[in-house]
Amino acid sequence: MSSQNDDISSSVLRQMKAGGFDFTQIHPIEFYAVFPNEDGARQAAGQFRGESLNAQVRERDDGGWDLELSKIMYATYRGIGAFEEAFEGVVVPLGGEVEGWGVKHERQTA
């Protein structure tokens, strides 16, 4: 992971902590990439298999293709960084570009 991505991930994790995110539980963490064609997106998706993974490929309005890969894991800096590096190692050689990661967080109401 590049130092720019490190800074972004650190910032996002700090914001999550400030927002009351529960780091003691596993969550689906989404990793995003965009490809110029469907074949590259589907090939990348096929590289990630397992019970804790879910991949979705969708066509974009601009003719590109989105890959959203969801991995069930703890939201840790080290874990996200390691998986993002592996994700990038598959995406880039297939002509894609990694667009980051995210996690859905339900706000607790009082």
Side-chain angles (χ1 to χ4, degrees):
M1 199 163 60
S2 74
S3 62
Q4 181 181 3
N5 287 347
D6 290 347
D7 294 342
I8 293 169
S9 288
S10 292
S11 176
V12 170
L13 289 166
R14 280 193 299 276
Q15 290 173 20
M16 289 166 58
K17 183 177 181 180
F21 187 83
D22 185 357
F23 288 94
T24 66
Q25 301 293 318
I26 59 172
H27 299 274
I29 309 293
E30 286 91 24
F31 296 86
Y32 305 102
V34 65
F35 290 83
N37 57 56
E38 181 180 10
D39 188 51
R42 294 211 180 274
Q43 283 184 46
Q47 296 294 315
F48 296 95
R49 299 271 185 226
E51 64 184 46
S52 67
L53 294 169
N54 180 31
Q56 296 182 14
V57 174
R58 289 185 212 73
E59 187 171 13
R60 297 166 53 117
D61 291 339
D62 64 5
W65 289 81
D66 284 325
L67 168 60
E68 179 181 313
L69 184 73
S70 180
K71 179 171 175 46
I72 305 295
M73 61 189 289
Y74 288 101
T76 66
Y77 179 79
R78 182 174 287 168
I80 289 169
F83 191 81
E84 191 170 35
E85 192 171 302
F87 187 59
E88 187 173 35
V90 169
V91 167
V92 172
L94 292 170
E97 183 178 327
V98 173
E99 291 199 320
W101 63 271
V103 62
K104 293 178 178 87
H105 173 75
E106 291 186 24
R107 294 189 180 257
Q108 302 298 320
T109 56

